[in-house]
Amino acid sequence: MRPKKLIASIGILCMAAIGVSACSSSNSSTSSKKQEITWMDAAEIPTMDISKATDNTSFNQLNNVMEGLYRLGKDEKIENALATKTQVSQNGKKWVFTLRKSKWSDGSPLTAKDFVYSWRRTVNPATGSQYAYLFEGIKNATAITAGKKPVSSLGVKADGKYKLVVTLDKQIPYFKLLMGFPLFFPQQEKMVKSAGSKYGTASKYLAYNGPFVQSGWSGSNLSWKLKKNKNYWDKKAVKLNTINYSVQKTTSTAYNMYQSNLLDATALDSEQSKHLKENPGYTVRNSASTFYLQYNQAKLKALRNVKLRRAISMAIDRQSLTKILGGGNTAANSLTAKNLAKVDGVDFSSTISDNGYDSYNPTKAKKLFKQALKELGVKNISLTILSDDTDSAKKTTETLQSQLESTLSGLNIKTQNVPFKTRLSRSTAGDFDIVVSAWGADFADPISFDDLFTSNNANNNGKWKNKEYDRLIEASKNTINQKQRWQDLRQAENLLLDQQGVSPLYYQGQAWLVRPTIKGIIYNSAGAKYNFKNAYVEKN
Amino acid sequence: MAKFILKRVFYMFLTLFIVATATFFLMKAMPGSPYANEAKMTLTQRHIMDEQYGLNKPVIVQYLIYLGSMFKGDFGTSFQYANQSVSSLIFPRLAVSMQLGLQAMVLGVVVGVLLGAIAAIKQGTWADSGATVLAIIGRSVPNFVLAVILQYYIGLKLGWFPIAGWGSFSQTVLPTIALAVAPMAETERFVRTSMVDNMNQDYVELGRAKGFSRMEVVRKHVMRNSMIPIVTLLGPYTVALMTGSMVIENIFNIPGIGEQFVKSILTNDYPTIMGVTMVYSIGLVVVLLITDIIYGLIDPRIRLQGNEG
């Protein structure tokens, strides 16, 4: 087989003209001897500045090139990283961490001061950290971010070089989980100062202290490398020498590259996931995100009717919806995502009582809908469902429209698909009837979800208000008794779903192909997802 | 001629001013804020951030500041990439898109002219039909479909060229071909029509009467006269190709400007939207100006009209 003469000759002409030799792709395929893998992300890195990161891509990078007090292991298990010892006071409000001796990537020592500096920088309102809210509960953090107290009053101080003392306003049950989240990692003041406004905008403008150091990222380019960090305190445990990262925006391209060994992992779209289910590398990654419907109860009287909300929820066939969406999405019957948090070895979301309102039941839905129409004194109801304009969002609204209209006669559904930012701003402004919203947990605790629907939460766009619910969430935050806390959260979520304050639709999951010879990758659904510290290529 | 050029340059600046103004106010009318996690920010943070980005000033003041800094070539700081200047985002990516666009343009025009000439000279033969069919296919198959086919068969199955990526020349081959098909088809039709038209002119008869062979006349006169209209075609096409095709860039993992532009719109990254729009517009009007001037130089008739109208 020869290429078309024309193409060949033009190719040769151009090469002669530009003076380059045709070499094959610069990507080298993975060889098991080299302990090198090629990985992908779906988007460019927006920033490597710990205080400014807001997205998965950034957090995944930071989790592998930086390190905090703890590192999250398998199943969100908290493992000591820079902390060698943790002492907590009786009331849970004072934490003393003893740090190990460790170095920054430039060889300079890393001390407790670097933590103090990093945390203060993040809560400082002038930094503009959009994740500073996670510091809530650490002494004075909220007041500092609101500009009411000086940055120096934050409840964190260095006691000598290797002791970090943290004071809380109230105990935070998930505090250890937070400490494993990149937002709470140290930052090197020297680098922040010398890089100035360029800090975190390219590989060279960052000081690293994690298992890997990053190189070759210039700010918005599509490929870079993570290389083993020579100055990492636990470098013996790190087996990979190099992780070649590239940005892949087209799933068919990524899959082609996977097939020719240019990529060791590829995210699949819904069509591909249906075909490749049997492939040995097929893996579903849950993202600790739940998609749910919010009903605008401030704007529409009809949606304040609990029977109508229940009828709508029961007219939705979530199984067929997730089939249409494909990928790794699964039908949801709780707000808290599946496999997010284990309580005494049992997944929290599975302990939410099944009230029947979140499963498909057309007979009951019809009955409830009739009653609701009667109570409202109307013959029919028209509602618009608002959502994003992505493929899956369009599929979702179309499916909901046809399911609802075919089950509930007298209900007219219109759909509106707008860009993500527009959907957010309209949700916040209360400019919708029903909106498809999504939430991904920042850390592996149900409060990340259940907090959303207290009366005054900024994310409670439907303005569902329930005093008992508010009381339970508040109680869960102030009890020292763990058992009681789970009880409160469970009761709250049961109440929310009984009243259908929101209607869960599905838990998000992404289907992937991952080269089966790569072992030891730790993936957690919440917070920073990927941890490559112990990953390696199996020798054949 | 000087008067003609001056007038053109004046119109060019007027056009750019109108584009800048329209884009700025349309963008301000877009819903949403540039912040990714607005609901979780305190008011104080909002105020400080707005101040840093200059979003707290009255819109008209923002507009004037924006115009002023644009004159200095400063497009501000991106919202989606923390602390990165828009220029540093745009120009490396623009260079990539331009290289790809130019390659596609050259390939498309060269092949198009060849095919068009063959079709015209061999009017009514199988070669003519073949070239026409090629042109129709080129016009009607979207380039991203072709891109996927090329990638799968030539990249993956045959392994002649890399599947995707950017850096070596061989990586540019498939996307160049995918992008070149449309201008190739366009040029082919143009050249064929123009040549057939010219071949029926009196001067061809004259040349033949003087004893030149048909091929000689075609080569010396017809081809040259037929190339003039292509100049018109080249300008806008070059700009269209150089500004990057989002889909092609995504399929071949090319770090070009096309996709970045779309992303900046989706994330309300105002400074980047403005920056890219202005760079596109400047590119287009400059190319149009050059086209006009070249045209005026080649074809005296146009220059005369320019002076009158």
Side-chain angles (χ1 to χ4, degrees):
Chain A
M1 287 289 284
R2 284 190 324 149
K4 280 192 196 121
K5 255 192 186 155
L6 177 78
I7 297 173
S9 57
I10 285 176
I12 289 163
L13 273 178
C14 294
M15 275 184 272
I18 305 175
V20 282
S21 56
C23 57
S24 66
S25 147
S26 51
N27 279 334
S28 54
S29 69
T30 306
S31 88
S32 54
K33 291 184 204 73
K34 282 207 308 210
Q35 290 302 330
E36 183 173 340
I37 62 173
T38 52
W39 210 259
M40 67 157 275
D41 207 311
E44 291 98 334
I45 305 173
T47 180
M48 286 294 286
D49 180 339
I50 282 179
S51 303
K52 295 199 170 169
T54 57
D55 65 297
N56 281 332
T57 307
S58 301
F59 288 137
N60 273 333
Q61 292 296 313
L62 290 165
N63 196 40
N64 289 293
V65 298
M66 308 298 274
E67 188 151 271
L69 299 166
Y70 304 130
R71 174 167 286 278
L72 292 187
K74 210 172 159 57
D75 297 328
E76 312 270 354
K77 197 169 152 284
I78 290 148
E79 293 165 359
N80 274 344
L82 293 186
T84 53
K85 203 167 87 188
T86 306
Q87 292 155 288
V88 196
S89 67
Q90 202 66 48
N91 62 2
K93 289 187 187 175
K94 191 175 169 192
W95 293 65
V96 180
F97 299 98
T98 309
L99 307 183
R100 70 178 71 247
K101 285 191 170 163
S102 68
K103 287 181 190 155
W104 287 104
S105 48
D106 63 4
S108 60
L110 190 158
T111 63
K113 266 205 195 102
D114 296 307
F115 278 92
V116 177
Y117 176 76
S118 173
W119 291 18
R120 285 182 179 176
R121 184 172 177 260
T122 303
V123 295
N124 185 343
T127 307
S129 167
Q130 298 182 46
Y131 252 72
Y133 69 93
L134 281 182
F135 277 78
E136 186 199 342
I138 295 174
K139 193 176 163 204
N140 294 335
T142 315
I144 296 166
T145 313
K148 296 190 178 95
K149 281 198 168 155
V151 174
S152 56
S153 65
L154 184 68
V156 59
K157 36 180 220 292
D159 175 7
K161 273 188 168 178
Y162 299 105
K163 266 210 170 59
L164 185 72
V165 183
V166 183
T167 320
L168 308 183
D169 283 329
K170 53 178 184 195
Q171 60 120 17
I172 304 175
Y174 45 87
F175 188 65
K176 278 191 162 183
L177 279 174
L178 284 184
M179 293 305 103
F181 188 62
L183 189 73
F184 295 88
F185 291 0
Q187 295 180 66
Q188 191 189 45
E189 183 172 4
K190 190 170 70 181
M191 178 55 91
V192 179
K193 291 272 193 305
S194 70
S197 67
K198 287 200 159 71
Y199 178 71
T201 62
S203 294
K204 61 180 173 213
Y205 299 120
L206 198 64
Y208 305 96
N209 76 321
F212 301 93
V213 294
Q214 188 196 59
S215 66
W217 175 62
S218 67
S220 69
N221 58 334
L222 302 182
S223 59
W224 60 90
K225 284 180 180 356
L226 299 186
K227 289 194 139 98
K228 190 171 171 171
N229 180 0
K230 292 196 296 284
N231 283 319
Y232 182 51
W233 66 269
D234 195 17
K235 67 177 178 207
K236 280 199 191 75
V238 182
K239 300 186 189 74
L240 286 179
N241 291 318
T242 311
I243 304 169
N244 299 298
Y245 252 101
S246 66
V247 178
Q248 302 286 341
K249 292 183 177 171
T250 309
T251 45
S252 63
T253 303
Y255 177 52
N256 286 343
M257 291 178 75
Y258 180 86
Q259 286 173 287
S260 30
N261 288 330
L262 297 168
L263 264 184
D264 290 320
T266 171
L268 304 174
D269 63 25
S270 62
E271 283 312 304
Q272 290 172 319
S273 69
K274 288 170 193 168
H275 296 301
L276 296 165
K277 262 206 164 69
E278 304 306 314
N279 192 297
Y282 187 85
T283 316
V284 171
R285 303 282 193 206
N286 289 317
S287 58
S289 304
T290 308
F291 282 70
Y292 52 89
L293 295 178
Q294 291 198 85
Y295 304 100
N296 197 335
Q297 297 167 46
K299 178 179 147 189
L300 294 170
K301 178 175 164 242
L303 292 173
R304 287 198 283 274
N305 185 306
V306 66
K307 283 180 177 152
L308 176 65
R309 299 198 300 265
R310 286 172 180 170
I312 289 174
S313 179
M314 290 168 94
I316 297 170
D317 181 354
R318 292 163 176 81
Q319 301 295 346
S320 78
L321 172 67
T322 50
K323 241 197 211 87
I324 290 164
L325 292 175
N329 302 309
T330 46
N333 55 7
S334 66
L335 175 67
T336 300
K338 201 175 45 174
N339 301 328
L340 176 76
K342 281 202 167 73
V343 183
D344 306 330
V346 183
D347 177 29
F348 178 87
S349 76
S350 67
T351 63
I352 299 299
S353 53
D354 182 15
N355 50 32
Y357 298 133
D358 296 311
S359 11
Y360 184 51
N361 189 335
T363 332
K364 258 190 134 163
K366 286 187 172 106
K367 210 163 102 191
L368 280 168
F369 187 62
K370 277 210 181 84
Q371 291 171 349
L373 287 180
K374 209 170 183 172
E375 284 173 19
L376 292 163
V378 290
K379 286 216 162 27
N380 49 45
I381 295 177
S382 295
L383 295 167
T384 304
I385 300 180
L386 176 72
S387 184
D388 296 348
D389 58 359
T390 58
D391 272 352
S392 61
K394 283 180 183 153
K395 279 181 183 158
T396 303
T397 48
E398 282 163 18
T399 310
L400 291 177
Q401 181 183 35
S402 77
Q403 288 181 352
L404 291 173
E405 286 192 337
S406 64
T407 307
L408 308 174
S409 58
L411 180 63
N412 303 312
I413 298 286
K414 282 204 205 64
T415 63
Q416 249 186 341
N417 299 87
V418 297
F420 170 74
K421 283 267 173 167
T422 311
R423 193 257 296 168
L424 278 190
S425 70
R426 285 185 55 180
S427 300
T428 313
D431 178 15
F432 66 94
D433 299 350
I434 298 178
V435 62
V436 181
S437 306
W439 183 259
D442 297 315
F443 48 88
D445 193 283
I447 189 69
S448 196
F449 284 99
D450 292 333
D451 212 13
L452 300 175
F453 301 105
T454 50
S455 295
N456 297 321
N457 192 295
N459 294 82
N460 183 355
N461 310 126
K463 302 281 181 266
W464 175 78
K465 287 191 165 80
N466 187 303
K467 283 203 173 71
E468 174 65 1
Y469 186 85
D470 292 354
R471 188 192 67 75
L472 286 164
I473 297 295
E474 198 49 39
S476 82
K477 289 181 177 177
N478 292 308
T479 176
I480 301 178
N481 177 343
Q482 274 297 343
K483 259 203 161 55
Q484 185 56 46
R485 176 172 181 264
W486 293 119
Q487 197 48 41
D488 290 340
L489 288 173
R490 202 170 289 130
Q491 260 185 301
E493 194 161 331
N494 282 334
L495 176 64
L496 173 75
L497 296 177
D498 173 72
Q499 293 296 307
Q500 286 293 307
V502 297
S503 298
L505 293 175
Y506 62 91
Y507 310 119
Q508 192 186 33
Q510 168 93 55
W512 282 73
L513 285 184
V514 178
R515 188 101 33 223
T517 50
I518 300 173
K519 306 284 184 206
I521 295 172
I522 291 171
Y523 176 89
N524 284 311
S525 62
K529 295 174 169 28
Y530 280 101
N531 173 1
F532 288 108
K533 178 179 169 175
N534 306 107
Y536 62 95
V537 183
E538 201 173 39
K539 293 184 169 58
N540 303 336
Chain B
M1 190 70 193
K3 195 171 156 193
F4 164 77
I5 291 177
L6 270 179
K7 204 159 146 183
R8 283 280 164 204
V9 171
F10 169 75
Y11 281 132
M12 185 177 93
F13 279 108
L14 186 69
T15 312
L16 285 178
F17 172 75
I18 292 168
V19 169
T21 308
T23 314
F24 181 85
F25 288 104
L26 281 172
M27 199 180 63
K28 283 287 167 207
M30 274 174 23
S33 85
Y35 306 119
N37 212 358
E38 198 183 2
K40 297 285 191 187
M41 289 164 76
T42 64
L43 268 177
T44 316
Q45 281 183 304
R46 278 294 313 264
H47 291 321
I48 293 177
M49 294 279 278
D50 282 348
E51 201 171 331
Q52 281 178 5
Y53 288 131
L55 293 171
N56 56 346
K57 297 183 174 71
V59 171
I60 195 77
V61 177
Q62 286 185 42
Y63 168 68
L64 293 172
I65 291 175
Y66 154 73
L67 276 189
S69 51
M70 205 175 64
F71 256 104
K72 289 179 257 170
D74 171 19
F75 294 113
T77 311
S78 160
F79 292 164
Q80 50 174 332
Y81 294 97
N83 280 350
Q84 301 207 25
S85 76
V86 172
S87 314
S88 72
L89 274 184
I90 292 182
F91 292 108
R93 286 180 173 257
L94 192 66
V96 170
S97 288
M98 279 171 88
Q99 184 195 334
L100 186 63
L102 280 176
Q103 280 180 210
M105 196 68 217
V106 170
L107 178 65
V109 170
V110 169
V111 177
V113 168
L114 282 175
L115 286 176
I118 292 167
I121 294 163
K122 306 266 183 200
Q123 250 186 92
T125 66
W126 62 266
D128 183 13
S129 330
T132 309
V133 167
L134 260 181
I136 291 170
I137 292 173
R139 291 280 299 154
S140 49
V141 175
N143 59 15
F144 56 88
V145 173
L146 188 69
V148 171
I149 293 170
L150 286 173
Q151 185 183 64
Y152 183 74
Y153 286 103
I154 298 186
L156 179 68
K157 290 286 170 206
L158 299 171
W160 289 343
F161 292 107
I163 292 171
W166 188 259
S168 66
F169 176 75
S170 59
Q171 284 173 319
T172 69
V173 174
L174 296 183
T176 301
I177 296 170
L179 275 178
V181 169
M184 177 206 83
E186 195 79 21
T187 318
E188 193 269 347
R189 286 187 332 161
F190 233 88
V191 170
R192 185 185 177 278
T193 317
S194 169
M195 269 180 74
V196 168
D197 195 38
N198 266 307
M199 276 170 26
N200 296 335
Q201 298 278 348
D202 293 347
Y203 71 82
V204 177
E205 288 293 318
L206 183 73
R208 299 279 287 137
K210 279 183 168 174
F212 290 112
S213 75
R214 187 158 167 270
M215 275 322 282
E216 273 177 311
V217 177
V218 167
R219 215 181 49 231
K220 279 202 174 122
H221 303 286
V222 176
M223 280 295 269
R224 275 182 62 175
N225 287 339
S226 308
M227 289 302 116
I228 294 177
I230 292 187
V231 174
T232 346
L233 196 71
L234 287 184
Y237 239 119
T238 310
V239 176
L241 281 176
M242 288 193 326
T243 47
S245 147
M246 173 186 153
V247 185
I248 297 287
E249 283 170 7
N250 275 356
I251 290 174
F252 290 106
N253 295 345
I254 294 168
I257 191 80
E259 197 261 349
Q260 207 39 247
F261 186 36
V262 177
K263 207 167 139 184
S264 64
I265 294 173
L266 290 178
T267 54
N268 284 1
D269 186 353
Y270 304 145
T272 311
I273 299 174
M274 292 303 304
V276 181
T277 313
M278 286 322 292
V279 170
Y280 276 15
S281 315
I282 292 168
L284 186 63
V285 293
V286 167
V287 168
L288 286 178
L289 176 76
I290 293 170
T291 314
D292 276 348
I293 293 172
I294 291 177
Y295 227 61
L297 291 174
I298 298 178
D299 194 338
R301 287 173 300 185
I302 290 180
R303 201 163 53 224
L304 287 173
Q305 282 166 358
N307 272 338
E308 286 162 13

